[in-house]
Amino acid sequence: MPVLTAHSLTRSLGTGENRVQALRGVSLAIEPGRTYAIAGHSGSGKSTLLYLLGLLDQPDSGRLVIKGHEAHSLDDAARTALRNEHMGFVFQFHFLLKEFTALENVMLPMRKLGRLDPDAMSEKAAALLAAVGLADKSARLGNQLSGGEQQRVAIARALANDPALILADEPTGNLDHTNADRVFALLSDLVHARGQSLLMVSHNPDLATRCDHVFQMQDGQIIT
Ligand code: ADP
Ligand code: MG
């Protein structure tokens, strides 16, 4: 069963003369254990699509099914629960809490889910930070980390609850080549080993082609 299916999603944004049809009928399926890239020019609708798929925004029309749940039939509490349990986000404007340490930031989604005791949470968070190359920065506050380090903490945080689906908007955008490679390899290995799924917007053609499938977007549609 796919983790997620989208059927003919449409979405307009802006008001009056500035109203834009950002999505013009997008359908796709995300299977477990696979990595997907979304490629396309700026303004083609990539971020709008990720917001809809992540239940952070609602379509004007179309259907979205996530882990067997019809998204439109969920109330706010159910949407939040579904997001927290099954999805991990690495978004450009999804910042760390600056007054919390890297370790605490990674533990936050685990606390919300409430399935592990504090020792297990901190052990798991430390292992995730080590996996993104930040073992020695776990006690640093968010505002004492570079942009690239913050991005790697955000990736560790996205993985905290072993989400079925990882949604990422330019997850390696602030990283140098070595760290971009390392983070992508980590995400890709996890997805393939554990049957999770990754859907990633990337302007890095090298990383996009290393995904199992590439969705090409143009003018609010998937063209291939
Ligand atoms: P991408 O991520 O591919 O660069 P977006 O999904 O951000 O594209 O944007 C798709 C289209 O919707 C663009 O034409 C953009 O200008 C427009 N758009 C995005 N957000 C808004 C908004 N809040 N208000 C008005 N138009 C928007
Ligand atoms: Mg975008």
Coordinates of all heavy atoms in Angstrom, one line a residue, residues 66-109:
I66 N -3.3 9.5 3.2 CA -2.1 9.3 3.9 C -2.2 8.1 4.9 O -3.1 8.2 5.8 CB -1.6 10.5 4.6 CG1 -1.4 11.7 3.6 CG2 -0.3 10.3 5.4 CD1 -1.0 13.0 4.2
K67 N -1.4 7.1 4.7 CA -1.5 5.9 5.6 C -3.0 5.4 5.7 O -3.4 5.1 6.8 CB -0.9 6.2 7.0 CG 0.5 6.6 7.0 CD 1.5 5.4 6.8 CE 1.6 4.6 8.0 NZ 2.6 3.4 7.8
G68 N -3.7 5.5 4.6 CA -5.0 5.0 4.6 C -6.1 6.0 5.1 O -7.3 5.7 5.0
H69 N -5.7 7.1 5.5 CA -6.6 8.1 6.0 C -6.9 9.2 4.9 O -6.0 9.7 4.4 CB -6.1 8.9 7.2 CG -5.7 8.0 8.4 ND1 -6.6 7.6 9.3 CD2 -4.5 7.5 8.7 CE1 -6.0 6.8 10.2 NE2 -4.7 6.7 9.9
E70 N -8.2 9.4 4.7 CA -8.6 10.5 3.8 C -8.4 11.8 4.5 O -9.0 12.1 5.5 CB -10.1 10.4 3.6 CG -10.6 9.3 2.6 CD -10.3 9.7 1.1 OE1 -10.0 10.9 0.8 OE2 -10.5 8.8 0.3
A71 N -7.4 12.6 4.0 CA -7.0 13.8 4.7 C -8.2 14.8 5.0 O -8.2 15.4 6.0 CB -5.9 14.5 4.0
H72 N -9.1 14.9 4.0 CA -10.1 16.0 4.2 C -11.1 15.6 5.3 O -11.9 16.4 5.7 CB -10.8 16.2 2.8 CG -11.7 15.1 2.4 ND1 -13.0 14.9 2.8 CD2 -11.4 14.0 1.5 CE1 -13.4 13.8 2.3 NE2 -12.5 13.3 1.5
S73 N -11.1 14.3 5.6 CA -12.1 13.9 6.7 C -11.5 14.0 8.1 O -12.2 13.7 9.1 CB -12.6 12.5 6.4 OG -11.5 11.6 6.6
L74 N -10.3 14.5 8.2 CA -9.6 14.6 9.5 C -9.9 16.0 10.1 O -9.8 17.0 9.4 CB -8.1 14.4 9.4 CG -7.7 13.0 8.8 CD1 -6.2 13.1 8.5 CD2 -8.1 11.9 9.7
D75 N -10.1 16.0 11.4 CA -10.2 17.3 12.1 C -8.7 17.8 12.4 O -7.8 17.0 12.2 CB -11.1 17.3 13.3 CG -10.6 16.3 14.4 OD1 -9.4 15.9 14.4 OD2 -11.4 15.9 15.2
D76 N -8.6 19.0 12.9 CA -7.3 19.5 13.2 C -6.4 18.6 14.1 O -5.2 18.4 13.9 CB -7.4 20.9 13.8 CG -7.5 22.0 12.8 OD1 -7.4 21.6 11.6 OD2 -7.7 23.1 13.2
A77 N -7.0 18.1 15.1 CA -6.3 17.2 16.1 C -5.8 16.0 15.4 O -4.6 15.6 15.6 CB -7.2 16.9 17.3
A78 N -6.6 15.4 14.6 CA -6.2 14.2 13.9 C -5.1 14.4 12.9 O -4.2 13.6 12.7 CB -7.4 13.5 13.2
R79 N -5.2 15.6 12.2 CA -4.2 16.0 11.2 C -2.8 16.2 12.0 O -1.8 15.7 11.5 CB -4.5 17.3 10.5 CG -5.7 17.2 9.6 CD -6.2 18.6 9.3 NE -5.4 19.3 8.3 CZ -5.5 19.1 7.0 NH1 -6.4 18.3 6.5 NH2 -4.7 19.8 6.2
T80 N -2.9 16.8 13.1 CA -1.6 17.0 13.9 C -1.1 15.7 14.3 O 0.2 15.5 14.3 CB -1.9 18.0 15.1 OG1 -2.5 19.2 14.6 CG2 -0.7 18.3 15.9
A81 N -1.9 14.8 14.8 CA -1.4 13.5 15.3 C -0.8 12.7 14.1 O 0.2 12.1 14.3 CB -2.6 12.7 15.9
L82 N -1.5 12.7 13.0 CA -0.9 12.0 11.8 C 0.4 12.6 11.4 O 1.4 11.8 11.1 CB -1.9 12.2 10.7 CG -1.8 11.3 9.4 CD1 -2.0 9.8 9.8 CD2 -2.7 11.7 8.3
R83 N 0.5 13.9 11.4 CA 1.8 14.5 11.1 C 2.9 14.1 12.1 O 4.0 13.8 11.7 CB 1.6 16.0 11.2 CG 1.7 16.7 9.8 CD 1.8 18.2 9.9 NE 1.2 18.9 11.0 CZ 0.1 19.6 11.0 NH1 -0.6 19.7 9.9 NH2 -0.3 20.2 12.1
N84 N 2.6 14.2 13.3 CA 3.6 14.0 14.3 C 4.1 12.5 14.4 O 5.2 12.2 14.6 CB 3.1 14.4 15.7 CG 4.2 14.6 16.7 OD1 5.3 15.1 16.4 ND2 3.9 14.1 17.9
E85 N 3.1 11.6 14.1 CA 3.5 10.2 14.2 C 4.1 9.7 12.9 O 5.1 8.9 13.0 CB 2.2 9.4 14.5 CG 2.5 7.9 14.5 CD 1.5 7.1 15.2 OE1 0.4 7.6 15.6 OE2 1.7 5.9 15.4
H86 N 3.7 10.2 11.8 CA 4.1 9.5 10.5 C 5.0 10.4 9.6 O 5.4 9.9 8.6 CB 2.9 9.1 9.7 CG 2.0 8.0 10.4 ND1 2.6 6.8 10.7 CD2 0.8 8.0 10.9 CE1 1.6 6.1 11.3 NE2 0.5 6.8 11.4
M87 N 5.1 11.7 9.9 CA 5.9 12.5 9.0 C 7.0 13.2 9.7 O 6.9 13.6 10.8 CB 4.9 13.6 8.4 CG 3.8 13.0 7.6 SD 3.0 14.4 6.8 CE 1.5 13.6 6.4
G88 N 8.1 13.4 8.9 CA 9.2 14.2 9.3 C 9.4 15.3 8.3 O 9.3 15.1 7.1
F89 N 9.6 16.5 8.8 CA 9.8 17.7 7.9 C 11.1 18.3 8.0 O 11.7 18.5 9.1 CB 8.8 18.8 8.4 CG 7.3 18.4 8.2 CD1 6.6 17.9 9.2 CD2 6.7 18.5 7.0 CE1 5.3 17.5 9.1 CE2 5.4 18.2 6.8 CZ 4.7 17.6 7.8
V90 N 11.7 18.6 6.8 CA 12.9 19.4 6.8 C 12.5 20.5 5.8 O 12.7 20.4 4.6 CB 14.1 18.6 6.2 CG1 15.4 19.4 6.4 CG2 14.3 17.3 6.9
F91 N 12.0 21.6 6.4 CA 11.6 22.8 5.6 C 12.5 24.0 5.8 O 13.0 24.1 6.9 CB 10.1 23.1 5.9 CG 9.1 22.2 5.2 CD1 9.6 21.0 4.5 CD2 7.8 22.4 5.2 CE1 8.7 20.2 3.9 CE2 6.9 21.6 4.6 CZ 7.3 20.4 4.0
Q92 N 12.5 24.8 4.8 CA 13.4 26.0 4.9 C 13.1 26.9 6.1 O 13.9 27.5 6.8 CB 13.4 26.8 3.6 CG 14.3 26.1 2.6 CD 13.8 26.4 1.2 OE1 12.6 26.7 1.0 NE2 14.7 26.3 0.2
F93 N 11.8 27.0 6.4 CA 11.4 28.0 7.4 C 10.8 27.3 8.6 O 9.9 27.8 9.3 CB 10.4 29.0 6.8 CG 11.0 29.8 5.7 CD1 10.7 29.6 4.4 CD2 12.0 30.8 6.0 CE1 11.3 30.3 3.4 CE2 12.6 31.5 5.0 CZ 12.3 31.2 3.7
H94 N 11.3 26.1 8.9 CA 10.9 25.3 10.0 C 12.1 25.3 10.9 O 12.9 24.4 10.9 CB 10.6 23.9 9.5 CG 9.8 23.0 10.4 ND1 8.5 23.4 10.8 CD2 10.1 21.9 11.0 CE1 8.1 22.4 11.6 NE2 9.0 21.5 11.7
F95 N 12.2 26.4 11.7 CA 13.5 26.6 12.4 C 13.6 25.8 13.7 O 12.6 25.3 14.2 CB 13.6 28.1 12.8 CG 13.6 29.0 11.6 CD1 12.5 29.8 11.3 CD2 14.7 29.0 10.7 CE1 12.5 30.7 10.2 CE2 14.7 29.9 9.6 CZ 13.6 30.7 9.4
L96 N 14.8 25.8 14.1 CA 15.1 25.2 15.5 C 14.7 26.2 16.5 O 14.6 27.4 16.3 CB 16.6 24.9 15.6 CG 17.3 24.0 14.6 CD1 18.7 23.8 15.0 CD2 16.6 22.7 14.6
L97 N 14.5 25.7 17.7 CA 14.3 26.5 18.9 C 15.7 27.0 19.3 O 16.5 26.1 19.8 CB 13.5 25.8 20.0 CG 12.1 25.4 19.6 CD1 11.4 24.6 20.8 CD2 11.3 26.5 19.2
K98 N 15.9 28.3 19.2 CA 17.3 28.8 19.4 C 17.8 28.7 20.9 O 19.0 28.6 21.1 CB 17.4 30.2 19.0 CG 16.9 30.5 17.6 CD 18.0 30.2 16.5 CE 17.4 30.2 15.2 NZ 18.1 30.8 14.1
E99 N 16.8 28.7 21.8 CA 17.2 28.7 23.2 C 17.3 27.3 23.8 O 17.5 27.1 25.0 CB 16.2 29.6 24.0 CG 14.8 29.1 24.1 CD 14.0 29.4 22.9 OE1 14.5 29.7 21.8 OE2 12.7 29.3 23.0
F100 N 17.1 26.3 22.9 CA 17.2 24.9 23.3 C 18.5 24.3 22.6 O 19.0 24.8 21.6 CB 16.0 24.1 22.7 CG 14.8 24.2 23.5 CD1 14.2 25.5 23.8 CD2 14.1 23.1 24.0 CE1 13.0 25.6 24.5 CE2 13.0 23.2 24.8 CZ 12.4 24.5 25.0
T101 N 19.1 23.3 23.3 CA 20.3 22.7 22.7 C 19.9 21.9 21.5 O 18.7 21.5 21.3 CB 21.0 21.8 23.7 OG1 20.1 20.7 24.0 CG2 21.3 22.5 25.0
A102 N 20.9 21.5 20.7 CA 20.7 20.6 19.5 C 20.0 19.3 20.0 O 19.0 18.9 19.4 CB 22.0 20.3 18.9
L103 N 20.5 18.8 21.1 CA 19.9 17.5 21.6 C 18.4 17.7 21.9 O 17.6 16.9 21.6 CB 20.7 17.0 22.8 CG 20.4 15.6 23.3 CD1 21.1 14.6 22.4 CD2 20.7 15.3 24.7
E104 N 18.1 18.8 22.7 CA 16.7 19.0 23.0 C 15.8 19.2 21.8 O 14.7 18.8 21.8 CB 16.6 20.3 24.0 CG 17.2 20.0 25.4 CD 17.5 21.2 26.1 OE1 17.6 22.3 25.5 OE2 17.7 21.1 27.4
N105 N 16.4 19.9 20.8 CA 15.6 20.1 19.6 C 15.2 18.8 18.9 O 14.1 18.6 18.5 CB 16.4 21.0 18.6 CG 16.1 22.5 18.8 OD1 15.0 23.0 18.4 ND2 17.0 23.2 19.4
V106 N 16.2 17.9 18.9 CA 15.9 16.6 18.3 C 14.9 15.8 19.1 O 14.1 15.0 18.6 CB 17.2 15.8 18.1 CG1 16.9 14.4 17.4 CG2 18.1 16.6 17.1
M107 N 14.9 16.0 20.5 CA 14.0 15.2 21.3 C 12.6 15.7 21.3 O 11.7 15.0 21.7 CB 14.5 15.3 22.8 CG 15.8 14.5 23.0 SD 16.5 14.8 24.6 CE 15.3 14.2 25.8
L108 N 12.4 17.0 20.8 CA 11.0 17.6 20.9 C 9.9 16.7 20.2 O 8.9 16.5 20.9 CB 11.0 18.9 20.2 CG 11.5 20.1 21.1 CD1 11.4 21.4 20.2 CD2 10.6 20.3 22.3
P109 N 10.1 16.2 19.0 CA 9.1 15.4 18.4 C 8.8 14.1 19.2 O 7.7 13.6 19.3 CB 9.6 15.0 17.0 CG 10.6 16.0 16.7 CD 11.2 16.4 18.1

